[in-house]
Amino acid sequence: MIIEHKIVIADVKLVADFQRYILYWRKRFTEQPVTDFCSVIRINSTAPFEEQDNYFLLCDVLPEDRVLREELQKQRLKEILEQQQQERNDNNFHGICMFCNEEFLGNRSVLLNHMAREHAFNIGLPDNIVNCNEFLCILQKKLDNLQCLYCEKTFRDKNTLKDHMRKKQHRRINPKNREYDRFYVINYLELGKSWEEVQLEDDRELLDHQEDDWSDWEEHPVSAVCLFCEKQAETIEKLCVHMEDAHEFDLLKIKSELGLNFYQQVKLVNFIRRQIHQCKCYGCHEKFKSKADLRTHMEETKHTSLLPERQIWDQPQYYFPTYENDTLLCTLSDSESDLTAQEQNGNIAIISEDTSKLHALKQNSILNQLLPHECLKN
């Protein structure tokens, strides 16, 4: 159209249905001259008249074009919402997890929730996604081509790709890749606006209406998930009661008996989470096909309370959570009750060294013995 007919359509990517748009103006151009609708842009205006060219710009400055674009946007939004509703109600969905090849039947939300919960791969709430099958096929094709979904680099083999996505926390899609925009309903809501622009407007509106009075602020409780099943509770106390009653696992008692500080509790929780995620009993090291089988085994054999030796789980690797945003870790406490009675009473005597003879102090200091010992141990 530009080369042959010298017609330029402004913001062509923002036209919701390009085919209908073209058919409409094709008809209108047969009824009236093009100059009645388009702005004329003359190029080479300083050249002789016969060398000058006129281009015709069709844009939404023209009210008729603006109305047409808005109508096409509304029609597209209607079609997208109908498609989304159909997918939400569809219970004949069939999909396979991209990370563990587990098969899912029923509603699409089952697969999406599984990938978010078990693999920390979250592409958004199921109700916000449209054309889900096509979206998952595109992501699967990228993984089959050994391409990272976030940084989009290509790797030599599947294991290298998996290690990269896990270590770099790249189990998410690239938000700057516009290829994915068409799978999110938010991108169809307003003419010519992407999800980033809509979100920015929402944030700006919140800032404009921000008030200094926080008296009516209500904090919504965040649920923590049981170490052994899907049970959720709003407080650590309720969750501990559940784990003790249902699984005979007393976290508070273990914390008290072993004298665990906050970081040791974190490592213990992350250790148990990882073992359960891998369907492995930490009491006897037996591996199972499913979490349900593992849970049955641990409850029958009372292995939930059979913790391994401290050196097994008190390792730096367990500082890192198995699941992203594990709320249970936020509810752990390092209270004053963890201190010994001697520490609480303040009966610890601190005797300073005599610094008047620094040379003798350096020669006889116990640090001279500890340093070689630690070097040998390392």
Side-chain angles (χ1 to χ4, degrees), residues 100-164:
C100 66
N101 294 325
E102 187 174 345
E103 190 174 1
F104 291 89
L105 300 172
N107 192 275
R108 60 181 184 162
S109 62
V110 180
L111 172 57
L112 297 181
N113 290 334
H114 161 81
M115 291 194 294
R117 184 177 62 252
E118 300 295 334
H119 306 289
F121 179 72
N122 190 357
I123 59 174
L125 295 174
D127 287 348
N128 295 338
I129 295 173
V130 68
N131 295 319
C132 184
N133 278 332
E134 185 183 355
F135 192 10
L136 293 175
C137 285
I138 288 176
L139 298 178
Q140 183 65 60
K141 188 175 180 182
K142 286 179 181 289
L143 291 178
D144 292 342
N145 292 332
L146 305 177
Q147 186 178 18
C148 174
L149 298 178
Y150 182 74
C151 67
E152 302 186 340
K153 293 179 182 177
T154 303
F155 294 84
R156 64 177 181 269
D157 56 57
K158 199 166 186 177
N159 288 332
T160 307
L161 171 62
K162 286 170 65 177
D163 288 343
H164 162 81

Side-chain angles (χ1 to χ4, degrees), residues 356-372:
S356 59
K357 300 178 181 178
L358 287 177
H359 180 72
L361 177 62
K362 290 178 182 178
Q363 293 293 327
N364 300 323
S365 175
I366 192 173
L367 295 177
N368 294 326
Q369 301 172 25
L370 291 176
L371 188 58

